[in-house]
Amino acid sequence: MTNIGYMVGLGNLWRFPSKVLLHGGGAFLIPYFLTVVLCAFPMLYLEMMIGQFASEGAISVWNFCPILKGVGVAILFNLVMINIYYSVIVMYSLYYMAASFVNIGGPLPWGCANRTQLSGKCGGHTPETYWNEFALRVRNSWEPEMLPTFDNLGPVVGRNAICLLFVWLFVFYCCLRGIRAIAKV
């Protein structure tokens, strides 16, 4: 059950319908399910069975076959990359949740549906402008000196860094307590 929970995550719910639509609708499902049935599930069950038999981790379990040593490293790399971008997605969700509690009972800061309502009782920003200007801190200027480059990514946004710190502390706590909780099941 834990492995199924790991395989089906928040990103799958967001990306899968758009990928199906982009790559041919129902015709995309045939190679997708073939790949899942012929590649993904056998590799998952092979790793679980070998891992339980050998009582080894994801990297050292593949030492029995030198040609497959890279599979464990690829699994670990994939896990790290997924955790990094999921943490950023959760950080933005945490930021929006905190921002929605700032003015309880009043309008949301991004409550305007269009530009004509900006002077009304809504929060003063459309959802797009709030996301770009406050959450991401992206300016609408397309001047070359204003665009971020690898040399100049811009300043660290403090509230995003604090939210990301809370997310990583929560992940650390879940990892710390999760092993004991899973062992009891």
Side-chain angles (χ1 to χ4, degrees):
M1 188 59 106
T2 304
N3 289 318
I4 298 298
Y6 174 71
M7 288 187 328
V8 178
L10 187 61
N12 295 24
L13 298 176
W14 287 347
R15 288 188 308 251
F16 189 75
S18 65
K19 292 295 182 187
V20 169
L21 181 66
L22 182 66
H23 296 291
F28 173 76
L29 294 175
I30 295 169
Y32 175 78
F33 283 122
L34 281 174
T35 305
V36 167
V37 169
L38 297 177
C39 295
F41 283 149
M43 191 63 107
L44 173 71
Y45 290 128
L46 178 69
E47 182 187 355
M48 284 191 319
M49 288 186 298
I50 293 172
Q52 282 186 340
F53 177 74
S55 299
E56 298 285 336
I59 294 178
S60 59
V61 76
W62 296 102
N63 287 338
F64 73 93
C65 183
I67 199 166
L68 295 177
K69 279 187 176 182
V71 172
V73 175
I75 289 170
L76 185 65
F77 180 76
N78 189 19
L79 184 121
V80 168
M81 291 295 119
I82 287 172
N83 283 333
I84 287 172
Y85 84 79
Y86 272 5
S87 296
V88 172
I89 291 171
V90 172
M91 179 263 306
Y92 283 123
S93 302
L94 183 67
Y95 169 72
Y96 268 95
M97 185 181 71
S100 66
F101 285 122
V102 169
N103 192 8
I104 294 179
L108 292 171
W110 56 87
C112 293
N114 53 32
R115 294 268 182 205
T116 59
Q117 292 181 339
L118 286 179
S119 61
K121 293 189 98 180
C122 66
H125 299 282
T126 63
E128 293 83 15
T129 59
Y130 189 84
W131 173 252
N132 289 331
E133 294 176 7
F134 291 98
L136 293 180
R137 294 283 178 131
V138 175
R139 291 182 171 49
N140 289 333
S141 176
W142 286 101
E143 299 168 5
E145 62 272 359
M146 297 297 288
L147 291 174
T149 62
F150 286 115
D151 296 335
N152 182 17
L153 293 176
V156 174
V157 180
R159 61 180 171 254
N160 290 351
I162 291 171
C163 289
L164 192 59
L165 176 68
F166 283 136
V167 168
W168 278 110
L169 288 175
F170 184 73
V171 167
F172 175 72
Y173 178 74
C174 288
C175 289
L176 189 67
R177 302 296 295 172
I179 296 171
R180 292 186 195 132
I182 291 174
K184 291 179 184 179
V185 172

